[in-house]
Amino acid sequence: MFNVVKVKDYEEASDKAFEVMKEFIKPGKVLGLATGSTPLGLYQRMVKDHKENGTSYKDIKSFNLDEYVGLPISHPESYYAFMHRNLFDHIDIMEENAHVPSGLGEDLEGQAKHYDEMIDNDPVDIQLLGIGSDGHIAFNEPGTPFDSPTHVTDLAESTIKDNCRFFDNDISKVPTQAVTQGIGTIMKAKNILLIATGANKAKAVKDMIDGPVDEACPASILQKHPNVTIIVDEAAASLL
Ligand code: F6R
């Protein structure tokens, strides 16, 4: 069931997302976090709230959606580094409670299985999501089975192009694989908060909300989730 909240622009979307998220920033809660441009405004508001109001993350756990394969965590574009730079280093979450899947190691599939086991032990109360221009959620590209667990995946050509901006606009520097929570994993979250802003998301938003539930648009599966809030700005809502 979708609760679609239409706002004017990115700033308003971030304000609204913070309002929703704030209800879950409480001891014992488990947050599902995302990277990309979309959550940055929300993370700034979470940091400001922590600094100004003392809201604590000491008893909160988090699980990130995904990580590139093969990038050392010291690489500025690794999602581990992204999360530390934009959120974890500025709040009081404990390092051992802030989980980001690892894209390094001998047994990535085994590690992915372990990641799902950790999530099963600490179910996510609210999962934050962005959406790709091709309708992907996390790195679940079109065609990914709806019941997929956390797994290693190839990135779609369009996603590699979209993410090129983070790698000196040099396509050869963009990793081609990632470890990602599966769609099945994401659907286990008790609540979902998806933010979509900008005209390049309009088609994906339309397909997610009004299209058939079809693996061609991974986000369309959210129609089957009982508690989804979708925050869209005017540009992303333009086809609704
Ligand atoms: C990020 C993630 C991706 C992004 C999506 C949108 O952890 O899993 O699915 O949410 O690619 O990216 P932005 O927000 O940069 O438009």
Side-chain angles (χ1 to χ4, degrees), residues 34-39 65-66 79 130-132 136-139 165 201:
T35 59
S37 314
T38 303
L65 286 172
D66 41 18
Y79 286 171
I131 183 169
H136 70 235
I137 48 175
F139 274 126
R165 64 192 195 277
K201 303 292 174 70

Side-chain angles (χ1 to χ4, degrees), residues 33-49:
L33 300 177
T35 59
S37 314
T38 303
L40 286 174
L42 168 60
Y43 293 162
Q44 282 164 7
R45 284 155 180 77
M46 287 163 72
V47 169
K48 186 166 182 275
D49 170 62

Side-chain angles (χ1 to χ4, degrees), residues 10 33-40 43 64-67 79 82-83 127-134 136-140 159 162-163 165-166 180 186 195 197 200-201:
Y10 181 77
L33 300 177
T35 59
S37 314
T38 303
L40 286 174
Y43 293 162
N64 261 77
L65 286 172
D66 41 18
E67 178 59 284
Y79 286 171
F82 175 101
M83 287 308 299
Q127 177 63 58
L128 175 64
L129 295 176
I131 183 169
S133 57
D134 62 357
H136 70 235
I137 48 175
F139 274 126
N140 296 288
T159 303
D162 281 352
N163 288 2
R165 64 192 195 277
F166 300 118
T180 182
I186 292 169
I195 312 169
T197 59
N200 67 326
K201 303 292 174 70

Side-chain angles (χ1 to χ4, degrees), residues 4-62:
V4 180
V5 182
K6 292 187 187 170
V7 296
K8 192 169 174 306
D9 56 17
Y10 181 77
E11 289 307 312
E12 248 186 57
S14 302
D15 284 340
K16 184 69 203 169
F18 177 65
E19 224 175 84
V20 175
M21 189 58 105
K22 184 101 173 70
E23 292 302 308
F24 294 87
I25 307 176
K26 296 190 171 139
K29 295 289 185 197
V30 181
L31 311 181
L33 300 177
T35 59
S37 314
T38 303
L40 286 174
L42 168 60
Y43 293 162
Q44 282 164 7
R45 284 155 180 77
M46 287 163 72
V47 169
K48 186 166 182 275
D49 170 62
H50 167 70
K51 292 203 189 314
E52 290 179 1
N53 305 321
T55 304
S56 177
Y57 293 75
K58 272 210 174 79
D59 296 312
I60 283 180
K61 293 184 182 172
S62 71

Side-chain angles (χ1 to χ4, degrees), residues 60-78:
I60 283 180
K61 293 184 182 172
S62 71
F63 288 95
N64 261 77
L65 286 172
D66 41 18
E67 178 59 284
Y68 290 117
V69 166
L71 274 195
I73 59 172
S74 58
H75 190 291
E77 293 309 329
S78 76

Side-chain angles (χ1 to χ4, degrees), residues 5 18 25 27 29 37 71 81 87 95 111 141 159 161 165 170 174 208 218 240:
V5 182
F18 177 65
I25 307 176
K29 295 289 185 197
S37 314
L71 274 195
L87 185 64
E95 167 73 18
Q111 290 167 210
E141 300 285 11
T159 303
K161 281 192 194 130
R165 64 192 195 277
D170 178 349
V174 187
M208 165 174 66
L240 291 178

